[in-house]
Amino acid sequence: MDSIDAPDRYVSFKGIDCQGNSRRIIERLYMHIDDPAKTNAFWERFRAKLSVADDPLKRQADGLCLLCANIYYIADLFEEHDDEDGLAMLRQLEDECC
């Protein structure tokens, strides 16, 4: 893909499925934090925020915003559990949508 054809998140999100990408990462994140051996107080609070992320009347932030604001913590979790696919998805989200 030429740099001319590459989507530029600062100009346009056209052609970038940020919501779909964030949903896939949230599903991947749940694969880890649903395991009692992998979760902790931080992830339990994060789970509570995610549970209302789709409700504009209850949320502090939507799912994409939560992911972007916590990208380093999520990357640490994926790295800790050798989740290369999760890390690749997270890098793409950060590059295109955050």
Side-chain angles (χ1 to χ4, degrees):
M1 183 180 329
D2 292 340
S3 62
I4 295 171
D5 297 328
D8 184 342
R9 65 182 174 201
Y10 297 110
V11 175
S12 171
F13 287 98
K14 184 177 180 180
I16 301 173
D17 184 12
C18 292
Q19 294 304 321
N21 292 343
S22 66
R23 280 192 302 275
R24 285 185 286 283
I25 292 171
I26 290 169
E27 289 170 9
R28 191 92 185 181
L29 181 62
Y30 277 128
M31 285 177 26
H32 294 288
I33 65 175
D34 282 347
D35 180 346
K38 296 180 182 179
T39 195
N40 58 37
F42 174 84
W43 293 116
E44 293 306 311
R45 285 190 304 276
F46 194 81
R47 180 195 313 275
K49 291 178 183 180
L50 281 174
S51 71
V52 296
D54 290 333
D55 185 339
L57 298 177
K58 294 181 181 177
R59 71 181 179 206
Q60 294 175 332
D62 66 13
L64 177 60
C65 182
L66 286 170
L67 293 177
C68 292
N70 292 281
I71 206 138
Y72 298 110
Y73 298 110
I74 299 166
D76 284 346
L77 179 75
F78 288 164
E79 286 173 2
E80 181 180 347
H81 299 291
D82 298 318
D83 187 346
E84 293 299 322
D85 291 336
L87 281 168
M89 292 166 54
L90 192 62
R91 277 187 220 106
Q92 179 183 358
L93 183 82
E94 183 179 21
D95 289 344
E96 294 179 351
C97 304
C98 292

